[in-house]
């Protein structure tokens, strides 16, 4: 496969047995910054994880959270709820979920943007999905010395109100020195342009980070722009994939997704891996308490 061909498409393969990425797969990944592995997990496994997510949603009372939010400083309380979620399971609603009176337009499971960020360490079903020999092998072949699963997110991208995610690099949020972040993105439902699939700019991961998002000592979330140049979004390519697909992507790979205005949800599950050999700054927003240290795939 020539580099030109790689950059004109997102490299896509059937999932390799045992997660043993081939030399061709690794070459394509290095060139494009993204790699699609079809049928990595079974549709049954996807459905089981979706069912577990619904059970966890049962424990979420959006009105309790919003009554907290409605007190003094809305923005700061929103920030705190997010910042404290690194070692918890918390729920984040879509901004279009609310009606004029502040109530939810739909049942809560149809109003969620995401759930995060430690299901993989706190819930046995998510733990089992996140820690498999196949994923451990992929991490090893990508070159991780000491991989740690930094965060998990369940992305709902609900029908009709799923919001747009503008073009960004994940290492902006999950920064290490040197950079080591890699994303594992699992389609739990078919993802198409219609319901807001992921889109990538193949090859653009060779660009340095354009932003740093970090947590200041005063607890405010701050974004620092390092490079104002816009992304060449005319080169973006949709990753339309079936349920069970794993998309592996570099922490520098710029990606985005459009709003979901369709009648179909687009559930996905993501893991972000960092290398424990790299420095993890204390100013990063995502921090673990002493009771829940980061773990790898074992
Ligand atoms: Fe992202």
């Amino acid at each position: 496969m020539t580099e030109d061909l790689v950059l004109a498409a997102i490299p896509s393969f059937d999932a390799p047995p045992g997660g043993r990425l081939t030399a061709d797969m690794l070459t394509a990944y290095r060139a494009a910054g993204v790699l699609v592995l079809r049928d990595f997990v079974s549709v049954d496994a996807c459905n089981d994880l979706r069912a577990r997510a619904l059970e966890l949603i049962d424990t979420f009372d959006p009105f309790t959270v919003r009554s907290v939010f409605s007190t003094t400083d809305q923005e700061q309380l929103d920030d705190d709820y997010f910042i404290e979620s690194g070692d918890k399971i918390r729920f984040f609603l879509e901004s279009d979920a609310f009606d004029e009176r502040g109530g939810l337009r739909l049942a809560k499971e149809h109003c969620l943007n995401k759930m995060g960020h430690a299901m993989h360490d706190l819930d046995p079903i998510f733990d089992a999905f996140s820690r498999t020999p196949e994923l451990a092998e992929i991490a090893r072949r990508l070159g991780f010395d000491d991989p740690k699963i930094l965060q998990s997110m369940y992305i709902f991208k609900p029908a009709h109100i799923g919001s747009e995610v503008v073009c960004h690099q994940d290492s902006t949020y999950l920064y290490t020195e040197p950079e080591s972040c890699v994303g594992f993105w699992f389609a739990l439902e078919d993802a198409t342009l219609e319901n807001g699939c992921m889109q990538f700019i193949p090859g653009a991961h060779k660009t340095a980070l354009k932003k740093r998002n970090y947590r200041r000592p005063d607890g405010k979330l701050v974004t620092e722009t390092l490079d104002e140049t816009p992304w060449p979004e005319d080169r973006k390519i949709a990753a339309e994939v079936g349920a069970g697909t794993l998309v592996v992507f570099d922490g520098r790979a710029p990606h985005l997704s459009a709003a979901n205005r369709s009648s179909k949800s687009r559930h996905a599950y993501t893991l972000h891996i960092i290398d424990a050999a790299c420095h993890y700054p204390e100013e990063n927003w995502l921090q673990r308490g002493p009771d829940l240290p980061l773990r790898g795939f074992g």
Side-chain angles (χ1 to χ4, degrees):
M1 194 180 288
T2 69
E3 182 149 328
D4 283 351
L5 281 175
V6 168
L7 298 182
I10 296 174
S12 199
F13 298 85
D14 290 335
R20 292 184 291 275
L21 298 176
T22 65
D24 278 355
M25 292 174 188
L26 286 166
T27 300
Y29 172 72
R30 302 279 178 229
V34 54
L35 182 68
V36 168
L37 301 173
R38 294 181 294 263
D39 300 318
F40 185 85
V41 290
S42 70
V43 171
D44 282 350
C46 294
N47 290 338
D48 289 348
L49 202 69
R50 290 173 56 202
R52 182 58 182 159
L54 278 178
E55 289 176 359
L56 293 175
I57 293 168
D58 266 348
T59 67
F60 169 53
D61 178 355
F63 298 101
T64 303
V65 171
R66 285 179 48 250
S67 67
V68 172
F69 282 0
S70 65
T71 55
T72 50
D73 181 344
Q74 177 81 33
E75 188 181 335
Q76 184 60 50
L77 289 168
D78 281 352
D79 280 0
D80 289 347
Y81 185 76
F82 178 75
I83 287 169
E84 293 164 3
S85 67
D87 51 11
K88 298 180 180 67
I89 300 176
R90 287 196 161 173
F91 301 87
F92 301 89
L93 291 157
E94 287 286 355
S95 54
D96 286 350
F98 301 97
D99 60 26
E100 307 77 44
R101 292 177 301 169
L104 292 182
R105 293 167 188 264
L106 303 162
K108 60 185 177 182
E109 63 267 30
H110 301 303
C111 293
L112 283 162
N113 172 284
K114 67 181 168 189
M115 169 169 67
H117 290 89
M119 288 84 72
H120 62 295
D121 285 331
L122 295 172
D123 181 77
I125 309 288
F126 276 84
D127 179 11
F129 189 97
S130 307
R131 293 187 168 92
T132 63
E134 290 80 10
L135 289 173
E137 182 63 16
I138 286 180
R140 196 181 72 78
R141 294 199 178 216
L142 290 177
F144 280 93
D145 288 328
D146 188 5
K148 300 290 186 196
I149 307 177
L150 175 60
Q151 71 165 24
S152 49
M153 290 194 294
Y154 191 101
I155 313 285
F156 293 89
K157 201 81 167 181
H160 307 298
I161 59 168
S163 53
E164 174 189 17
V165 177
V166 298
C167 196
H168 67 280
Q169 298 163 298
D170 286 351
S171 284
T172 290
Y173 300 91
L174 305 170
Y175 181 73
T176 63
E177 293 169 343
E179 288 164 51
S180 63
C181 177
V182 169
F184 290 172
W185 186 98
F186 301 85
L188 301 179
E189 297 181 291
D190 293 346
T192 64
L193 269 173
E194 186 193 18
N195 67 0
C197 67
M198 292 271 271
Q199 301 189 54
F200 291 87
I201 305 172
H205 65 300
K206 293 173 182 173
T207 309
L209 291 187
K210 287 182 185 278
K211 289 186 178 177
R212 275 280 320 269
N213 283 10
Y214 60 97
R215 179 187 173 190
R216 277 234 172 122
D218 65 3
K220 291 271 185 195
L221 291 170
V222 175
T223 299
E224 179 187 6
T225 299
L226 307 172
D227 176 357
E228 301 273 5
T229 319
W231 290 109
E233 290 195 35
D234 54 318
R235 288 175 37 214
K236 69 177 185 274
I237 296 177
E240 294 194 287
V241 298
T245 299
L246 169 64
V247 181
V248 179
F249 59 102
D250 188 281
R252 280 193 181 187
H255 58 283
L256 62 137
S257 64
N260 183 6
R261 298 289 177 244
S262 80
S263 58
K264 294 176 183 165
S265 59
R266 196 225 68 187
H267 289 200
Y269 178 59
T270 69
L271 297 171
H272 284 87
I273 317 304
I274 58 169
D275 203 313
C278 301
H279 172 63
Y280 189 79
E282 286 182 11
E283 66 183 11
N284 280 2
W285 72 269
L286 194 163
Q287 298 293 336
R288 285 288 180 101
D291 297 337
L292 200 68
L294 293 179
R295 291 168 49 210
F297 291 98

